[in-house]
Amino acid sequence: MQSENNNKPAGINIPDLLEAGVHFGHLRSKWDPKMAPYIFMEKNGIHLIDLNKTAAKLEEAAAAIKSVARSGKKILFVATKKQAKEIVTECAKRVNMPYVTDRWLGGMLTNFATVRKSIKKMSVIDKMNADGTVTNMAKRERLMLSREREKLERMLGGINDLTRLPAALFIIDIKKEHIAVAEAHKLGLISFGIVDTNSDPHQVDFAIPGNDDATKSIALITTIMTNAIEEGLNERKKSKDDVEESAVNTEQETEAAN
């Protein structure tokens, strides 16, 4: 599992993956045979993932997600398991991407128009609070409205600014988030996912073989993918700035010629 790290992008190297426990899979009894190409060996009844292949797949996924970000499209982060929520929320916010960390509502993507109505309801409640409408309500009504707002924020706060379907999903634990995976597949959205030894890597477009249970493993892979998104966004901004600068220079040259 430990080999040379030639040609690996910054942030992707075998020692870091090893230290984070990315190689630890599930018990052999829980494995999915389709993960066989990514399993290095079995030790004490537990499958160990081949980190050379993890690094290669992570490099491929990072390049692809960077390209999506560079195109200006949104990438939805999905992670509802306890040990991943805080990590994913922080990373998604860093690059201003939508996220779902409470629970996946069936139809969140395939019935997006209805979800948007619920998001709009949050805005209506916020407006009622801002203009004082709520203060004129009975105490019980105010309490019910407040609870509804909290519930909507918990479930949909991470996609509050998502006005259209995302171009891609980055998923922690594709087995747990199988509904999100299915909806992405149905809509033809690009899917990236951390895939442990108990999952089918063919369920996503870009499978990253790795431990999807350990906090350190989740944090390392999510950070690498987030850094790639950030690079894509920066390249997009630079490209736009260069175009604007070129336009200004052309205009100045035209005025000078006249």
Side-chain angles (χ1 to χ4, degrees), residues 3-17:
S3 67
E4 295 300 319
N5 297 304
N6 298 329
N7 303 317
K8 294 289 184 294
I12 302 179
N13 60 74
I14 303 299
D16 285 348
L17 296 173

Side-chain angles (χ1 to χ4, degrees), residues 176-236:
K176 179 177 176 59
E177 313 297 349
H178 63 95
I179 300 175
V181 172
E183 290 192 30
H185 181 71
K186 185 175 182 179
L187 294 169
L189 306 179
I190 305 168
S191 54
F192 300 83
I194 301 178
V195 183
D196 214 324
T197 57
N198 65 335
S199 303
D200 177 2
H202 300 119
Q203 292 298 310
V204 287
D205 298 308
F206 294 90
I208 304 166
N211 183 343
D212 62 13
D213 291 310
T215 302
K216 283 187 176 181
S217 175
I218 294 169
L220 178 60
I221 294 174
T222 302
T223 298
I224 289 170
M225 293 293 279
T226 304
N227 289 344
I229 291 172
E230 191 169 44
E231 287 176 16
L233 293 172
N234 289 339
E235 286 182 10
R236 177 178 172 78

